[in-house]
């Protein structure tokens, strides 16, 4: 592969990098368009605007206005039916200029080759994920999240695979592969294998989750290292957010991954040429694909780049947890004696003939779901009111409202009892628990099928509580245990564990601030990209937990 | 419909040779060859070969069998007479014509293979003839035309009119099919070259080296057969076989980024002679944008210029006559060299179109067809032909046509619904395009679940939907030009003349690649493995159990017990 082997091309790349490194305000749209055109691409732009529901304090943006630029390399003698995408986010702080420069260099080199069978789209997206969302929605002519964008002028058929390039530092020591996408979706494992194979071939240090692979698998340290890497992947996947620009492609059934240059292993150094060769190799492999990547796994966890845990291994673990719920439900049903009309759809349509009526079961179900709806809608809706009355910013208002509603839900048993006329009976709480158990089992089962990590983490914390809780336990102690095992606290632990695993431990106050920002990011991910974790937690998991809370305080 | 016009707009091209030379009068057949080279504004270069063989014979005459062939290829002649073909158009294209960069092609064609045939109206079993014809053509052209069956054949009612003589309007005798997935390569080029009177031995055809022709951005070869008038009175008809080959060479991959082209660089050959059988052999170079030589240098220079209106635009051509000795000069070979000097902007094509599938997921989707009218002030109608395979179930009630955010009601719609596994959807519409507008045609579809044997060997590649065909009479650029009075007398330009006011254009959109819900085909394999294991283990152990005989084994007594018994026997005590 002769990329940048001749001095002219290398000089051109150097001049590009210098040009991009000069301080500029915003993205140099016109310059990029002209440069891409000079390289023989068909260049198009797309502008978009998006107003966030509340300001994003992590990235400091609220009203986002940007432009995506993309150039299409038309493959010779190809009928515009298939395409590959190479994208590089371009931000105003010039942090990813290396990637944009490399992208342009690659475009120039790719253009003079005859072997392309698929069109290649070189995309420079502004405002990272928001720009990518706008471009993908424009390309597929959908609008899921209410973005304003101009329609695309040029297309290249169905996109087969995509790579996103992020080189944030000047010195690159290794390349990190990011796989976790929106809602915990993963690209086909073959894409990871392809990346690893080429890293091996070219001799580039490659990592996953920023962690190098260790040679010693059988030792305790090696094993711990692999488990840590895998736990990082579980936590990232469970968060349901796209961890790179590739994450949004997965919705459209496009296999995509982010390649991120990192600077953490001082003794190694990788130059842009090597990364270019790596990308060239990967693109030539993808170009030769007859079918989409589909032969390998879509559900896997990776303890290292060379090993994976397939769905056949991890699903039984979850299955055993879910069985506890079902066995417990069976036990309760038998205890309830003869009534056989208990419907098992868990939506609260339970008619136990011997219990004190539908009302005593239906009321907590309805009220806890209403609390869930409040938790889902109120934080964003009431931010202005909150800002007026309290000395907080909009973001803080949203997050604190969410926490307040979450905490207020704990007072639910008192409110519920006000609606129930008579005393709760033994039968009553049993029916309610049966409903709650089946409901939780269905919920967790569905979640684990879509996003295993999320389902598993929720199962670990909710199943013990769900299995044990009765009104006859010591109230204070059990209540404490249940609060500690509630979804909100689970999120808090996950934040700490994640920081610990990333070898960036935080103190308690820092962790708390991180926790708040994670909540705001979750809400933003939902409204910007359609991530389902926040609605799942607020509308389904939290009400389900409230049902269990109700049982504890059953009178 | 007046789409018959298309032949007229390109007829000029052969006009200089229309008057047959004295030698050709005595012979019933003649052939001509031409090469048009057009430098494109993108820096690419477009080479279009045309070979025409004329023969005044009657293949379809009952009882009279044509058996003596001279220039006309016998294989095609026999096909014409056997299947009573009145008109046959077949094209093989690799690549997509980039209208926005290259302008209009001389002969448009969709990616893949396209075949349309008008049968003679005496044919009783059109479908049977069509089936056999496709199989025969498949053999002649070494192509997968045998995959044409009822599921991808349609009978367009308005889009494809005969280009030759005859006033057939009954579309029962028309068959149209495309194979968007057909890959065109040297094995298709070789049989095509063999149909030429000189083969690839002499004349322009020596330039057709496949390693160069397929080192290009676009490659299209076609065969058109039609009846034409023999003379101006049209007292008798002749058969015209027209073979075309269109290639676009890329500036970056073939030209190494230098805007300098020569015959040798394009074809790795130079011209040394004309085809001895040809009555005319010419090379045309489009020098319209280069009247003073400010854009590019052309060498060797020629003083013979030809002006004609082609595709609605007045073009000027430098003509090199290969039958003249002096064309080849001292070196006895002609190597045209084009050197670009300046940059120029291209005129945007007045009509172009694109198509894509919108939406995500494997259940539903939406086909969007965008048709651009870039004419600043004139609206014109276009005929849109869409043939969609049955496994995309079109919801025709969702069909919308919008231009400039307002609904645009088509004045004519011909829709034939699909039948599962039998025939495709056919949708033809006559849509008026407002000036300077984009018209968007959308229709939703649902993806069908195929039977497992119906999937292609590589189902995860996706399934192809052929190009839409847009046929239109486009207002001519010449008519737009108000300052053309220097060239023409004033009295000639008050009313726009019919030929020049509009011209026929056929535009093909890109084909679509649609993914259908595909089962995991490794699953049957797993099932087979699992079943075999279960059967082997189960059968093995059952067989073992059933055929084994079980016997109760007498345990031998331990040594101590035997010793004790011996002692007891001696003592006369009962044994243990």
């Amino acid at each position: 592969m002769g990329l940048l082997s001749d001095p002219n091309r290398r000089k051109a790349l150097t001049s590009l990098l210098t040009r991009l490194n000069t301080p500029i305000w915003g993205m140099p749209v016109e310059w990029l368009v002209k440069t891409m055109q000079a390289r023989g691409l068909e260049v198009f732009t797309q502008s978009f605007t998006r107003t966030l529901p509340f300001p994003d304090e992590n990235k400091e943006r609220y009203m986002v206005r940007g432009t995506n630029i993309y150039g299409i390399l038309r493959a010779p003698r190809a009928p515009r039916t298939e395409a590959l995408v190479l994208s590089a986010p371009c931000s105003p702080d010039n942090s990813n200029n290396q990637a944009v420069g490399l992208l342009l260099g690659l475009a120039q080199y790719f253009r003079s080759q005859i072997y392309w069978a698929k069109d290649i789209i070189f995309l420079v997206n502004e405002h990272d994920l928001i720009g990518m969302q706008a471009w993908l929605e424009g390309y597929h002519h959908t609008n899921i999240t209410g973005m304003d964008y101009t329609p695309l002028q040029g297309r290249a058929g169905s996109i087969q695979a995509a790579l996103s390039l992020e080189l944030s530092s000047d010195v690159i020591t290794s390349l990190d592969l990011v796989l976790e996408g929106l809602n915990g979706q993963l690209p086909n494992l073959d894409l990871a294998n392809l990346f690893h194979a080429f890293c091996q071939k070219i001799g580039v240090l490659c990592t996953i989750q920023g962690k190098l692979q260790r040679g010693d698998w059988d030792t305790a340290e090696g094993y711990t290292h692999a488990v840590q890497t895998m736990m990082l992947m579980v936590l990232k996947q469970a968060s349901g957010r796209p961890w790179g620009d590739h994450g949004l492609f997965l919705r459209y059934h496009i296999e995509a991954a982010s390649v991120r240059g990192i600077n953490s292993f001082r003794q190694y150094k990788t130059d842009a040429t090597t990364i270019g060769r790596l990308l060239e190799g990967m693109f030539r492999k993808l170009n030769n694909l007859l079918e989409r990547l589909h032969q390998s796994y879509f559900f896997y966890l990776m303890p290292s780049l060379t090993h994976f845990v397939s769905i056949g291994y991890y699903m039984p673990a979850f299955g055993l947890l879910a069985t506890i719920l079902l066995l417990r439900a069976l036990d309760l049903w038998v205890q309830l004696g003869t009534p056989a009309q208990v419907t098992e759809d868990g939506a609260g349509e339970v008619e136990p003939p011997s219990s004190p009526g539908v009302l005593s079961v239906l009321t907590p179900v309805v009220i806890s779901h209403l609390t869930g709806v409040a938790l889902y809608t109120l934080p964003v809706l009431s931010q202005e009111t909150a800002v007026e009355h309290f000395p907080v910013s909009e973001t803080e208002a949203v997050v604190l409202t969410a926490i307040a509603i979450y905490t207020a839900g704990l007072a639910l048993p008192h409110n519920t009892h006000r609606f129930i006329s008579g005393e709760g009976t033994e039968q009553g709480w049993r029916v309610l628990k049966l409903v709650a158990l089946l409901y939780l089992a269905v919920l967790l089962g569905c979640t684990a099928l879509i996003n295993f990590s999320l389902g598993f983490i929720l199962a670990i914390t909710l199943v013990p509580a769900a299995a044990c809780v009765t009104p006859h336990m010591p109230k204070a102690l059990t209540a404490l245990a249940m609060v500690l095992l509630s979804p909100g606290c689970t999120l808090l632990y996950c934040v700490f564990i994640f920081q610990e695993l990333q070898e960036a431990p935080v103190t308690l106050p820092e962790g708390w601030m991180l926790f708040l920002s994670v909540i705001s990011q979750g809400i933003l991910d939902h409204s910007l990209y359609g991530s389902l974790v926040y609605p799942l937690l607020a509308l389904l998991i939290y009400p389900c937990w409230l049902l269990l809370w109700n049982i504890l305080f059953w009178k | 419909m007046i789409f018959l016009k298309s032949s007229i707009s390109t007829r000029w091209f052969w006009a200089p040779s229309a008057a047959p030379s004295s030698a050709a009068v005595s012979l019933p057949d003649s052939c001509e060859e031409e090469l048009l080279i057009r430098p494109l504004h993108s820096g690419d270069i477009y080479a279009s070969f045309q070979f025409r063989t004329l023969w005044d014979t009657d293949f379809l005459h009952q009882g009279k069998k044509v058996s003596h062939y001279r220039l006309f290829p016998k294989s095609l002649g026999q096909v014409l007479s056997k299947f009573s073909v009145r008109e046959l158009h077949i094209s093989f294209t690799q690549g997509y014509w980039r209208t926005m960069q290259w302008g209009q092609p001389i002969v448009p064609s969709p990616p893949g293979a396209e075949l349309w045939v008008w049968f003679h109206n005496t044919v009783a079993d059109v479908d049977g003839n069509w089936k056999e014809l496709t199989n025969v053509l498949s053999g002649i052209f070494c192509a997968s035309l045998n995959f044409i069956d009822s599921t991808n054949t349609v009978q367009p009612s308005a889009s494809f009119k005969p280009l030759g003589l005859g006033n057939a309007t009954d579309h029962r005798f028309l068959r149209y099919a495309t194979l968007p997935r057909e890959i065109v390569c040297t094995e298709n080029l070789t049989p095509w070259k063999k149909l030429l009177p000189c083969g690839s031995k002499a004349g322009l055809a020596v330039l057709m080296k496949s390693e160069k022709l397929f080192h290009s951005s676009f490659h299209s070869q076609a065969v058109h057969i039609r009846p034409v008038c023999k003379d101006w009175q049209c007292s008798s008809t002749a058969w015209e076989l027209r073979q075309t080959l269109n290639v676009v060479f890329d500036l970056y991959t073939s030209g190494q980024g230098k805007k300098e082209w020569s015959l040798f660089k394009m074809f790795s050959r130079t011209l040394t002679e004309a085809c001895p059988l040809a009555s005319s052999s010419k090379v045309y170079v489009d020098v319209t944008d280069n009247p003073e030589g400010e854009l590019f240098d052309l060498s060797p220079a020629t003083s013979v210029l030809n002006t004609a209106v082609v595709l609605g635009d007045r073009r000027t051509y430098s003509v090199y006559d290969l039958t003249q000795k002096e064309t080849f000069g001292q070196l006895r070979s002609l190597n045209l060299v084009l050197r670009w000097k300046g940059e120029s902007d291209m005129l945007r094509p007045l009509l172009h179109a694109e198509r894509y599938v919108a939406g995500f997921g494997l259940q539903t989707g939406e086909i969007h067809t965008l048709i651009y009218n870039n004419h600043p002030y004139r609206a014109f109608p276009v005929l849109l032909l869409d043939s969609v395979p049955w496994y995309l179930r079109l919801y025709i009630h969702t069909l919308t046509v919008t231009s400039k955010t307002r609904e645009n009601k088509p004045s004519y719609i011909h829709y034939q619904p699909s039948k599962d596994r039998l025939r495709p959807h056919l949708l033809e519409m006559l849509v008026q395009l407002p000036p300077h507008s984009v018209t968007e045609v959308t229709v939703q579809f649902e993806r069908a679940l195929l039977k497992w044997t119906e999937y292609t060997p590589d189902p995860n590649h996706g399934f192809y939907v052929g190009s839409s065909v847009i046929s239109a009479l486009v207002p001519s650029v010449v008519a737009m030009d108000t300052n053309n009075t220097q060239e023409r007398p004033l009295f000639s330009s008050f009313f726009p003349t019919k030929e020049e006011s509009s011209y026929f254009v056929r535009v093909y959109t890109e084909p679509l690649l649609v993914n259908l819900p595909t089962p995991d085909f490794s699953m049957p394999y797993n099932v087979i493995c699992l079943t075999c294991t279960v059967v082997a283990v189960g059968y093995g152990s059952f067989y073992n159990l059933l055929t084994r005989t079980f016997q109760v084994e007498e345990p031998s007594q331990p040594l101590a017990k035997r010793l004790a018994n011996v002692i007891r026997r001696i003592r006369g005590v009962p044994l243990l």
Side-chain angles (χ1 to χ4, degrees):
Chain A
M1 283 167 278
L3 178 71
L4 304 179
S5 56
D6 72 336
N8 287 334
R9 240 174 235 151
R10 206 175 313 134
K11 209 184 291 168
L13 178 59
T14 321
S15 71
L16 275 176
L17 293 180
T18 354
R19 169 69 185 85
L20 281 163
N21 275 328
T22 51
I24 34 174
W25 188 253
M27 199 163 73
V29 175
E30 278 175 29
W31 182 81
L32 276 169
V33 168
K34 237 183 273 168
T35 316
M36 281 192 183
Q37 268 165 354
R39 274 149 188 74
L41 306 181
E42 282 179 31
V43 188
F44 306 94
T45 57
Q46 180 207 27
S47 52
F48 58 90
T49 51
R50 179 81 167 99
T51 308
L52 274 55
F54 56 90
D56 182 355
E57 290 192 345
N58 283 29
K59 294 194 170 154
E60 293 172 352
R61 55 189 180 190
Y62 180 50
M63 310 258 281
V64 179
R65 179 185 300 276
T67 311
N68 293 323
I69 302 155
Y70 63 106
I72 305 179
L73 190 168
R74 297 291 181 194
R77 282 169 290 110
R80 294 193 179 180
T81 47
E82 294 172 286
L84 302 172
V85 174
L86 176 62
S87 79
C90 186
S91 43
D93 57 345
N94 300 335
S95 62
N96 202 29
N97 284 350
Q98 291 244 18
V100 178
L102 185 58
L103 176 128
L104 293 174
L106 279 173
Q108 183 166 19
Y109 175 69
F110 283 6
R111 182 65 180 86
S112 56
Q113 304 307 315
I114 191 75
Y115 44 65
W116 299 113
K118 299 174 169 63
D119 291 1
I120 299 176
I121 303 175
F122 294 92
L123 168 66
V124 178
N125 54 316
E126 207 176 353
H127 298 295
D128 45 67
L129 281 161
I130 296 182
M132 189 56 92
Q133 175 81 9
W135 189 79
L136 280 169
E137 292 201 344
Y139 195 92
H140 294 95
H141 204 283
T142 54
N143 202 342
I144 323 165
T145 53
M147 175 103 63
D148 278 334
Y149 56 80
T150 53
L152 298 193
Q153 297 295 317
R155 285 185 175 76
S158 86
I159 302 174
Q160 306 286 306
L163 283 180
S164 173
L165 188 62
E166 292 172 34
L167 308 175
S168 47
S169 91
D170 287 343
V171 183
I172 308 287
T173 59
S174 63
L175 291 178
D176 190 45
L177 184 69
V178 188
L179 298 170
E180 299 85 3
L182 186 70
N183 290 329
Q185 268 187 293
L186 300 170
N188 197 277
L189 186 58
D190 273 339
L191 198 64
N193 293 339
L194 178 66
F195 171 76
H196 182 250
F198 262 96
C199 283
Q200 293 292 306
K201 188 174 172 188
I202 294 176
V204 181
L205 216 56
C206 56
T207 60
I208 188 160
Q209 321 296 355
K211 287 186 185 286
L212 272 180
Q213 187 182 342
R214 287 172 67 123
D216 48 344
W217 273 94
D218 356 346
T219 61
E221 293 90 49
Y223 188 77
T224 328
H225 184 79
V227 168
Q228 283 176 353
T229 315
M230 194 171 78
M231 276 176 70
L232 265 177
M233 179 158 184
V234 168
L235 288 173
K236 279 186 175 178
Q237 198 189 6
S239 75
R241 62 180 320 204
W243 284 83
D245 283 354
H246 71 282
L248 299 172
F249 281 95
L250 298 169
R251 185 204 295 275
Y252 302 91
H253 191 15
I254 300 166
E255 306 313 317
S258 286
V259 174
R260 193 169 282 163
I262 51 176
N263 176 15
S264 53
F265 309 99
R266 279 290 167 199
Q267 60 273 38
Y268 303 94
K269 207 170 167 188
T270 310
D271 56 352
T273 316
T274 320
I275 303 171
R277 282 172 59 207
L278 176 90
L279 288 172
E280 187 204 357
M282 289 183 74
F283 267 88
R284 287 188 68 172
K285 285 274 179 186
L286 292 172
N287 174 57
N288 292 342
L289 281 181
L290 180 61
E291 302 182 77
R292 284 168 184 276
L293 287 174
H294 71 283
Q295 294 286 6
S296 194
Y297 288 88
F298 284 97
F299 298 96
Y300 53 87
L301 295 173
M302 297 193 90
S304 80
L305 258 179
T306 45
H307 295 73
F308 71 98
V309 182
S310 84
I311 184 167
Y313 288 98
Y314 64 61
M315 226 39 193
F318 174 81
L320 289 176
L321 278 173
T323 321
I324 297 175
L325 295 178
L326 294 178
L327 289 177
R328 201 74 202 158
L330 196 65
D331 176 41
L332 274 175
W333 195 27
V334 173
Q335 278 182 30
L336 279 170
T338 44
Q341 297 97 317
V342 179
T343 52
E344 300 197 0
D345 59 355
E349 303 161 334
V350 178
E351 296 177 43
S354 58
S355 68
V358 186
L359 202 63
S360 72
V361 177
L362 203 57
T363 318
V365 171
V366 169
I367 291 187
S368 42
H369 278 89
L370 287 180
T371 322
V373 171
L375 179 59
Y376 176 64
T377 50
L378 283 186
V380 177
L381 284 182
S382 67
Q383 51 172 318
E384 281 171 23
T385 330
V387 170
E388 269 175 34
H389 294 91
F390 300 99
V392 284
S393 71
E394 277 94 348
T395 320
E396 284 170 330
V398 170
V399 175
L400 295 177
T401 317
I403 293 177
I405 295 172
Y406 186 89
T407 323
L410 299 187
L412 189 69
H414 303 284
N415 304 328
T416 319
H417 297 315
R418 220 178 284 160
F419 287 99
I420 303 172
S421 43
E423 287 283 292
T425 57
E426 275 299 285
Q427 291 283 4
W429 75 260
R430 288 218 166 95
V431 174
L432 183 61
K433 187 171 172 184
L434 179 61
V435 170
L437 283 175
L438 293 175
Y439 186 29
L440 188 62
V442 170
L443 263 184
L444 291 180
C446 295
T447 312
L449 283 181
I450 298 165
N451 183 348
F452 166 77
S453 303
L454 183 61
F456 188 71
I457 290 177
L458 288 175
I460 281 185
T461 50
L462 288 178
V463 167
C468 305
V469 69
T470 58
H472 309 302
M473 299 167 90
K475 285 276 184 309
L477 207 63
T478 325
L480 181 67
M482 276 208 64
V483 169
L484 289 180
L485 288 176
S486 77
C489 291
T490 313
L491 183 60
L492 187 63
Y493 311 145
C494 286
V495 169
F496 279 104
I497 296 172
F498 183 73
Q499 291 298 324
E500 195 66 39
L501 287 173
Q502 279 211 318
E503 292 160 17
V506 286
T507 57
L508 268 179
E510 281 170 358
W512 176 253
M513 292 315 292
L514 216 53
F515 172 66
L516 297 185
S517 86
V518 163
I519 294 175
S520 72
Q521 291 299 311
I523 300 175
L524 276 179
D525 283 348
H526 170 58
S527 59
L528 288 183
Y529 320 120
S531 159
L532 291 176
V533 175
Y534 175 59
L536 175 83
L537 288 180
L539 292 175
L540 298 170
I541 300 285
Y542 175 63
C544 191
W545 181 82
L546 279 182
L547 288 182
L548 301 173
W549 183 255
N550 254 309
I551 294 165
L552 180 64
F553 291 99
W554 191 267
K555 282 186 187 135
Chain B
M1 286 295 114
I2 29 177
F3 295 118
L4 281 169
K5 271 291 187 186
S6 76
S7 59
I8 292 166
S9 63
T10 48
R11 184 72 57 78
W12 69 273
F13 212 78
W14 293 269
S17 56
S21 61
S22 56
V25 169
S26 56
L27 291 167
D29 49 358
S30 65
C31 73
E32 295 141 55
E33 54 178 7
E34 277 170 3
L35 165 63
L36 165 70
I37 293 174
R38 179 190 288 175
L40 300 169
H41 293 269
S42 56
D44 305 337
I45 198 153
Y46 174 35
S48 173
F49 293 87
Q50 298 238 4
F51 301 89
R52 183 170 80 148
T53 310
L54 269 178
W55 190 14
D56 49 348
T57 184
D58 192 0
F59 292 116
L60 304 178
H61 194 269
Q62 300 296 320
K64 189 186 124 196
K65 202 172 173 203
V66 182
S67 56
H68 181 67
Y69 288 83
R70 205 177 77 96
L71 296 176
F72 202 93
K74 192 174 180 181
S75 53
L76 287 181
Q78 287 176 336
V79 166
L80 293 184
S81 54
K82 178 154 196 286
F83 299 109
S84 308
V85 173
R86 185 194 193 106
E87 219 173 87
L88 184 146
H89 302 269
I90 184 167
S91 75
F92 299 97
T93 307
Q94 186 72 8
Y96 179 73
W97 183 267
R98 303 170 198 170
T99 315
M100 279 304 278
Q101 288 168 313
W102 298 340
Q104 294 292 349
I106 301 286
V107 186
S109 59
E114 184 198 43
L115 175 65
W116 56 286
V117 175
W118 276 94
F119 289 96
H120 208 264
N121 51 17
T122 53
V123 177
D125 180 15
V126 179
D127 285 319
N129 269 19
W130 168 248
K131 179 88 195 137
E132 270 188 71
L133 174 69
T134 52
N135 280 293
V136 169
L137 288 176
S138 163
I140 293 179
F141 290 104
C142 265
S144 340
L145 296 173
N146 51 327
F147 284 105
I148 292 177
D149 54 13
S150 67
T151 60
N152 49 20
T153 304
V154 290
Q155 301 172 34
S157 64
S159 292
F160 287 89
K161 290 292 164 199
L163 297 182
L165 283 179
N167 205 5
T169 47
D170 191 351
H171 62 269
R172 277 187 300 130
F173 299 102
L174 169 66
R175 291 293 179 277
Y176 173 82
T178 53
L179 294 174
R181 210 186 167 173
E182 181 71 14
I183 290 166
V184 184
C185 202
T186 42
E187 81 252 24
N188 307 106
L189 182 66
T190 312
W192 184 89
K193 278 199 288 197
K194 282 185 181 166
L195 301 176
L196 296 174
C198 287
S200 50
K201 302 285 190 297
L204 292 172
V206 295
L207 298 178
M208 296 177 190
K209 299 285 287 176
S210 48
E211 73 264 27
K212 280 293 181 185
L213 291 186
F214 290 102
H215 198 286
S216 56
S217 292
F218 177 82
H219 172 99
S220 170
Q221 58 188 66
V223 171
H224 302 277
I225 302 172
R226 60 179 181 181
V228 292
C229 285
K230 194 177 147 195
D231 46 18
W232 66 275
Q233 287 165 321
C234 216
S235 55
S236 65
T237 61
W239 282 89
E240 182 199 69
L241 164 70
R242 184 171 291 191
Q243 288 181 258
T244 63
L245 183 99
N246 296 282
V247 190
V248 177
F249 292 100
D250 189 85
L251 170 70
Y252 292 88
T253 56
S254 309
Q256 286 103 37
K258 285 182 214 141
K259 286 187 160 187
E260 183 186 319
W261 294 100
S262 64
L263 281 186
F264 189 77
K265 196 170 170 186
M266 288 188 277
F267 302 105
S268 72
R269 280 281 190 287
T270 54
L271 286 170
T272 51
E273 54 170 348
C275 171
L277 296 171
S279 57
S280 138
S281 176
K282 283 182 179 147
V283 177
Y284 293 81
V285 180
D286 192 334
V287 292
T288 316
D289 309 315
N290 194 34
E292 307 293 323
E294 68 267 28
L295 268 184
F296 53 82
D297 272 339
L298 180 64
S299 65
T302 175
S303 58
V304 188
L305 290 179
N306 189 344
T307 306
V309 175
V310 55
L311 295 173
D313 197 6
R314 188 169 287 113
R315 317 289 300 180
T316 314
Y317 297 89
S318 292
V319 186
Y320 298 83
D321 192 347
L322 299 187
T323 50
Q324 307 292 318
K325 269 264 162 50
E326 54 268 28
T327 310
F328 299 105
Q330 299 279 311
L331 296 166
R332 305 216 163 276
S333 80
L334 175 66
N335 183 24
L336 287 170
V337 181
L338 261 167
R339 265 188 215 90
W340 280 88
K341 286 194 290 195
E343 296 277 334
S344 68
D345 286 328
M346 206 194 67
L347 204 67
R348 294 185 76 190
L350 291 181
L351 173 70
H352 74 104
E354 59 175 297
R355 194 155 70 133
Y356 61 92
V357 179
F360 59 90
L362 288 176
Q363 197 191 353
T364 55
E366 198 169 33
I367 296 180
H368 285 239
T369 312
L370 302 176
I371 310 170
Y372 294 83
N373 174 5
N374 289 329
H375 200 286
Y377 56 87
R378 276 194 60 180
F380 57 88
V382 296
L383 255 175
L384 175 73
L385 167 77
D386 243 327
S387 160
V388 180
W390 64 267
Y391 39 77
L392 301 187
R393 306 222 159 92
L394 292 187
Y395 293 149
I396 206 70
H397 71 275
T398 61
L399 178 75
T400 56
V401 184
T402 45
S403 334
K404 294 184 169 174
T405 67
R406 249 178 302 156
E407 197 194 337
N408 184 347
K409 207 167 159 52
S411 49
Y412 166 75
I413 293 188
H414 171 68
Y415 175 66
Q416 190 184 35
S418 73
K419 277 187 188 157
D420 277 7
R421 300 174 179 85
L422 278 182
R423 70 170 191 217
H425 303 267
L426 170 68
L427 179 62
E428 272 186 294
M429 285 189 291
L430 187 67
V431 185
Q432 182 82 10
L433 303 184
H436 201 71
S437 70
V438 187
T439 303
E440 188 169 23
V441 180
T442 63
V443 61
Q444 291 178 9
F445 64 86
E446 189 184 61
R447 299 163 209 239
L449 199 62
L450 300 185
K451 291 180 182 163
W452 72 283
T453 47
E454 287 170 344
Y455 286 94
T456 50
D458 41 10
N460 283 289
H461 178 66
F463 291 77
Y464 283 84
V465 179
S467 311
S468 302
V469 189
I470 293 157
S471 320
L473 279 174
V474 177
S476 134
V477 184
V478 177
M480 270 163 73
D481 187 11
T482 48
N483 292 326
N484 56 4
T485 44
Q486 292 100 341
E487 296 166 25
R488 291 194 292 170
L490 288 175
F491 59 80
S492 72
S493 58
F494 184 63
F495 292 109
T497 52
K498 187 67 189 153
E499 281 110 279
E500 297 185 356
S501 67
S502 59
Y503 62 101
F504 180 80
V505 161
R506 190 164 278 156
V507 174
Y508 292 93
T509 65
E510 49 268 79
L512 301 175
L513 185 62
V514 183
N515 274 85
L516 294 186
T518 311
D520 181 3
F521 279 104
S522 59
M523 195 193 71
Y525 172 75
N526 287 341
V527 171
I528 290 167
C529 287
L530 193 70
T531 323
C532 288
T533 315
V534 169
V535 167
V537 171
Y539 173 78
S541 37
F542 265 105
Y543 183 76
N544 200 349
L545 283 174
L546 290 173
T547 53
R548 181 172 289 184
T549 52
F550 293 92
Q551 289 171 342
V552 181
E553 201 180 334
E554 289 290 325
S556 60
Q557 287 172 336
L559 187 65
K561 204 173 177 181
R562 266 187 279 167
L563 275 177
N565 281 345
V566 169
I567 297 167
R568 278 174 177 249
R569 198 173 290 149
I570 294 166
R571 285 172 56 199
V573 197
L575 300 180
L576 275 175

